Amino acid sequence: MGTKDELSNPITEGVIWQQLLLFFFPILFGTFFQQLYNAADAMIVGRFVGKEALSAVGGSTGMLTQMIVGFFVGLTSGASVITAQYYGARRPEMVGYAVHTAMAFGIVSGAVMTVVGIWLAPAMLAAMGTPEDVIGLSVVYLRIYFLGMIANLVYNTGAAILRAVGDSKKPLHILMFSCLINIFLDVALVVGFRMGVAGAAIATVSSQVLSAGLVVFFLMRTRDMYRLDWRQVRLDQRMLKRIIRIGFPAGLQSVMYGLSNVIIQSGINSLGTNTVAAWAAYSKIDSMFWMTTNSFGIAITTFVGQNYGAGKTDRVHRGVRSCMCMTVAAALALAALIYNWGIYAYDLFTTDGEVVQIGIAMMRFLSPFYVTYVTIEVLSGALRGVGDCWIPMMICCVGVCVLRVTWILAVVPLNRNIYTIMCSYPLTWIVTTIAFAVYYLKYSQLKAAGKTA
């Protein structure tokens, strides 16, 4: 028997801009609390342990964990897209296959990543040129972090499933609670028990285990078609192929961003510990912009996936236009906020005057260019919603990864300073934005769908 929720679906029927915002805000606040995991670690160790500890928690380790976890989150976007499409089309059996296959894949991938990550942590950090006074602390943090990888991926899988069916509030509630636990444990272990970066890592892993347990609890309790039954958790070969076919390009795209950022981090590492610490702190402030655009990207992916599955292609295109306008407005507002008042945020991370001055220079150079990235996030999210992933991935490969790496390797050595390194960001955003706009308007699967609607 269908429930009331199964008989009506506001994402495919409600006012478009309202539905996007109702979905966006819980994702935004949830992403904010997720960012607080590492930000809390960075703030507490930076203030109470020192700038070397701040560099260890927020420098190379942050880049590596973002890249590795980002690859899997990209893969799970395949499950999210498929779940959204089948949920929009009201096909409960296929939703069940997607949910249980995605959860099994998360557990297996987490186990593999735990073993490989612990083993290769020193080599990965050394390859990035992590400063000698930081690398020992970084290895400790990274190895403990990898111990929680199964929980990390189980949470991300469960949250992706909930968002795919239009429930962005439960992931928010989970993250709010677990983030508070993380901050409490950070203070207790780092300040109270003086465990340094190890204490910060243990706090983060403990909170991730709690998040995973809560998301599994909610999935098991629902009576809707996406209910989790552990007896059915297995790798269905056909569904896994579909998930990977859609998710692999998104995961690879995330890795390419990560790899290019790793190369940039290597360049920053060569400028010394003060610059590394300033970049680590700036990345936490800068995350306000990234979590906002990413939340709009997730919102439009789910919106497009469900409406495309329901055959409402005209509503898909109107949704993309609405999302683009809202994201541009948000990017402009955040750029003004960070440029003018972001300087006060540095006091949360460090009291070192030279680190603060370097960080302010970074912030005021990059923030005016934020708006040039918006099109990439919104259009790639929309295209992912219909399963059009390979060409967008190739656009990002050339426009972001290849161009950025070429800049770092060919141009930066001619004038090695922080401004030359940072130029790689706006350059690649602008080129990739132009390519995405041309593809979406002229050649994409969404364009073809609009013609046949």
Side-chain angles (χ1 to χ4, degrees):
M1 184 188 309
T3 65
K4 180 180 179 181
D5 289 337
E6 292 175 318
L7 297 176
S8 63
N9 187 352
I11 290 181
T12 59
E13 298 168 7
V15 178
I16 290 175
W17 68 268
Q18 290 180 351
Q19 293 306 314
L20 283 169
L21 287 180
L22 286 172
F23 196 60
F24 160 78
F25 279 113
I27 297 173
L28 174 64
F29 293 131
T31 306
F32 169 75
F33 281 102
Q34 193 166 30
Q35 289 291 334
L36 272 182
Y37 272 97
N38 282 336
D41 292 348
M43 284 188 287
I44 291 171
V45 300
R47 296 283 297 185
F48 293 98
V49 183
K51 62 186 178 184
E52 291 82 8
L54 171 60
S55 300
V57 170
S60 300
T61 56
M63 291 290 180
L64 284 171
T65 54
Q66 287 174 19
M67 181 179 67
I68 294 167
V69 175
F71 175 68
F72 179 81
V73 171
L75 283 178
T76 60
S77 71
S80 178
V81 168
I82 290 172
T83 301
Q85 290 180 356
Y86 284 134
Y87 192 81
R90 305 326 240 174
R91 297 183 62 183
E93 181 181 358
M94 300 307 293
V95 170
Y97 278 127
V99 168
H100 294 102
T101 299
M103 191 58 70
F105 186 55
I107 294 170
V108 172
S109 299
V112 172
M113 289 168 65
T114 296
V115 174
V116 174
I118 292 173
W119 176 39
L120 292 180
M124 290 187 291
L125 291 166
M128 292 178 65
T130 305
E132 291 184 6
D133 58 345
V134 173
I135 193 167
L137 295 173
S138 299
V139 170
V140 170
Y141 184 87
L142 198 58
R143 280 180 162 165
I144 296 174
Y145 185 92
F146 274 113
L147 287 173
M149 195 56 66
I150 292 178
N152 189 318
L153 300 192
V154 166
Y155 166 75
N156 278 293
T157 300
I161 291 167
L162 289 171
R163 291 170 184 147
V165 301
D167 186 352
S168 55
K169 292 182 180 179
K170 286 189 180 68
L172 168 61
H173 297 156
I174 292 170
L175 284 172
M176 288 175 66
F177 180 65
S178 58
C179 184
L180 292 175
I181 297 298
N182 182 51
I183 294 172
F184 170 78
L185 291 175
D186 268 329
V187 173
L189 299 177
V190 176
V191 181
F193 290 95
R194 300 185 181 277
M195 295 178 65
V197 296
I202 291 170
T204 297
V205 169
S206 300
S207 301
Q208 289 172 344
V209 171
L210 176 62
S211 299
L214 289 173
V215 80
V216 166
F217 173 75
F218 285 124
L219 288 173
M220 293 176 65
R221 279 192 63 192
T222 184
R223 295 184 179 180
D224 207 341
M225 63 181 80
Y226 59 92
R227 182 176 182 270
L228 177 65
D229 182 350
W230 284 106
R231 294 171 297 180
Q232 298 181 41
V233 173
R234 60 180 59 87
L235 292 172
D236 180 81
Q237 186 174 0
R238 290 175 299 175
M239 184 57 69
L240 183 61
K241 286 181 179 179
R242 295 177 186 177
I243 290 173
I244 292 177
R245 180 176 57 82
I246 296 175
F248 183 76
L252 192 58
Q253 180 176 322
S254 178
V255 168
M256 287 185 294
Y257 276 111
L259 282 174
S260 62
N261 286 334
V262 164
I263 293 172
I264 289 172
Q265 182 69 51
S266 299
I268 290 170
N269 288 345
S270 69
L271 300 179
T273 299
N274 285 337
T275 304
V276 174
W279 186 254
Y282 171 65
S283 69
K284 306 307 177 188
I285 301 169
D286 181 59
S287 65
M288 288 193 298
F289 168 72
W290 296 108
M291 68 185 184
T292 301
T293 55
N294 181 252
S295 297
F296 273 116
I298 295 172
I300 196 62
T301 297
T302 298
F303 181 89
V304 168
Q306 289 204 25
N307 283 280
Y308 187 75
K312 300 184 177 182
T313 52
D314 180 64
R315 185 175 171 85
V316 165
H317 288 284
R318 287 187 286 129
V320 172
R321 289 193 293 270
S322 295
C323 189
M324 185 70 72
C325 291
M326 290 187 288
T327 313
V328 167
L332 291 172
L334 284 169
L337 176 67
I338 292 174
Y339 186 92
N340 290 296
W341 293 285
I343 57 175
Y344 302 109
Y346 272 97
D347 290 336
L348 297 172
F349 296 95
T350 182
T351 56
D352 189 295
E354 187 173 351
V355 172
V356 172
Q357 289 302 314
I358 295 171
I360 292 172
M362 294 173 176
M363 181 177 58
R364 290 188 164 166
F365 180 86
L366 283 177
S367 57
F369 292 102
Y370 285 163
V371 72
T372 63
Y373 178 79
V374 166
T375 299
I376 301 172
E377 189 70 50
V378 174
L379 293 188
S380 63
L383 293 166
R384 192 177 304 123
V386 299
D388 188 354
C389 301
W390 284 100
I391 299 299
M393 182 272 290
M394 293 174 65
I395 292 173
C396 284
C397 177
V398 176
V400 174
C401 187
V402 174
L403 183 57
R404 191 172 292 175
V405 170
T406 300
W407 178 270
I408 295 299
L409 296 180
V411 179
V412 170
L414 302 177
N415 187 18
R416 187 174 292 277
N417 61 57
I418 190 61
Y419 293 103
T420 310
I421 293 173
M422 289 190 298
C423 275
S424 63
Y425 283 99
L427 170 66
T428 54
W429 292 342
I430 292 169
V431 171
T432 310
T433 287
I434 294 171
F436 259 108
V438 171
Y439 177 70
Y440 175 82
L441 294 172
K442 297 291 185 181
Y443 307 107
S444 71
Q445 190 171 322
L446 269 174
K447 178 66 176 178
K451 290 179 179 178
T452 59

